[in-house]
Amino acid sequence: MRIKQSEFITSAVKREQYPLDNRVEVAFVGRSNVGKSSIINSLTNRKKLAKVSQTPGKTRLVNFFLINNDFYLVDLPGYGYAKVSKSEKGSWGKTVETYLTDREQLKRVVLLVDSRHKPTGDDIIMNEWFKHFGYNVVIVATKSDKLTKNELKKSENVIKETLKLSTEDKLYFFSSLNRNGSDELINNLFLEFATDLD
């Protein structure tokens, strides 16, 4: 499939602020500095669709982007940034948990991890949290252009071991910089939810 159209629809904190049209939702989440906005912009081929902040942890809202007038890509607030206060961390947890709890439209969660580093304790907790809620989870390791082929293989092994991924769990590597494999990743993440496959 091709992403021909992408537009920001709304930002939300409370459940009543979410879109009400029952379109399928695919949510992206990861650490504050994992490159979440960059990958969203790269996959949609829109430089400024998701705001790239120089200050990690700035996104506090659940952002909804309509893709091909067909389904939503949902940008969840980044986690794990050390300079965020306890009250802000608590607010983040409540915002995300509110969205994840009984959200029937949410059909897949894309958990972003940094391919250069071992997944953190927060990454492990998030992966377990999504599985606890019964969601289909796909792991995407970002910034893969920074690694050699040998390093990529090592990274793959470390991520699989740390997150306790099974053979059925899906793991992809991606670089927003060179966009290698972007078409394949788009198909793997979104194709089954799209009605327009051109």
Side-chain angles (χ1 to χ4, degrees):
M1 66 165 281
R2 285 190 304 140
I3 294 180
K4 296 180 286 188
Q5 182 183 9
S6 53
E7 59 179 312
F8 169 75
I9 299 299
T10 190
S11 293
V13 175
K14 301 173 184 176
R15 196 181 296 273
E16 54 266 30
Q17 297 170 325
Y18 302 159
L20 300 174
D21 53 18
N22 287 322
R23 285 183 169 96
V24 164
E25 295 170 5
V26 179
F28 278 54
V29 68
R31 284 176 60 81
S32 299
N33 57 353
V34 78
K36 183 158 49 69
S37 297
S38 295
I39 192 173
I40 291 171
N41 292 340
S42 179
L43 292 177
T44 58
N45 209 21
R46 292 274 305 276
K47 287 184 178 178
K48 295 182 180 178
L49 182 66
K51 292 179 182 175
V52 179
S53 173
Q54 298 303 314
T55 308
K58 194 171 183 182
T59 303
R60 296 281 183 272
L61 304 170
V62 178
N63 295 308
F64 292 82
F65 302 97
L66 183 59
I67 306 297
N68 289 353
N69 202 33
D70 197 6
F71 62 90
Y72 288 106
L73 190 164
V74 183
D75 181 12
L76 297 178
Y79 57 83
Y81 191 55
K83 292 185 180 179
V84 171
S85 70
K86 283 186 179 179
S87 62
E88 285 177 306
K89 283 182 182 177
S91 172
W92 175 91
K94 190 173 181 183
T95 299
V96 173
E97 189 166 10
T98 296
Y99 172 71
L100 289 175
T101 306
D102 299 323
R103 184 63 178 168
E104 289 184 12
Q105 294 92 325
L106 178 60
K107 302 303 181 186
R108 172 166 292 156
V109 176
V110 181
L111 175 61
L112 305 177
V113 297
D114 191 326
S115 64
R116 303 169 299 173
H117 307 294
K118 179 179 178 179
T120 66
D122 287 331
D123 293 328
I124 295 168
I125 289 168
M126 290 309 300
N127 189 45
E128 291 174 349
W129 199 15
F130 296 138
K131 290 191 172 181
H132 168 76
F133 280 106
Y135 290 119
N136 175 319
V137 184
V138 175
I139 313 295
V140 176
T142 63
K143 307 182 184 182
S144 63
D145 60 286
K146 311 287 186 187
L147 302 180
T148 65
K149 282 187 178 179
N150 283 340
E151 289 170 335
L152 281 171
K153 189 60 187 171
K154 286 180 184 175
S155 174
E156 181 182 357
N157 292 335
V158 168
I159 291 169
K160 285 181 174 178
E161 185 179 327
T162 305
L163 296 180
K164 296 186 172 76
L165 302 186
S166 71
T167 52
E168 282 138 36
D169 289 323
K170 297 183 179 84
L171 168 63
Y172 302 100
F173 283 81
F174 186 73
S175 165
S176 299
L177 200 63
N178 61 34
R179 302 188 76 242
N180 285 346
S182 60
D183 290 343
E184 179 189 6
L185 186 59
I186 286 169
N187 284 339
N188 287 328
L189 295 182
F190 307 126
L191 184 60
E192 67 186 272
F193 310 122
T195 55
D196 180 1
L197 302 181
D198 291 336

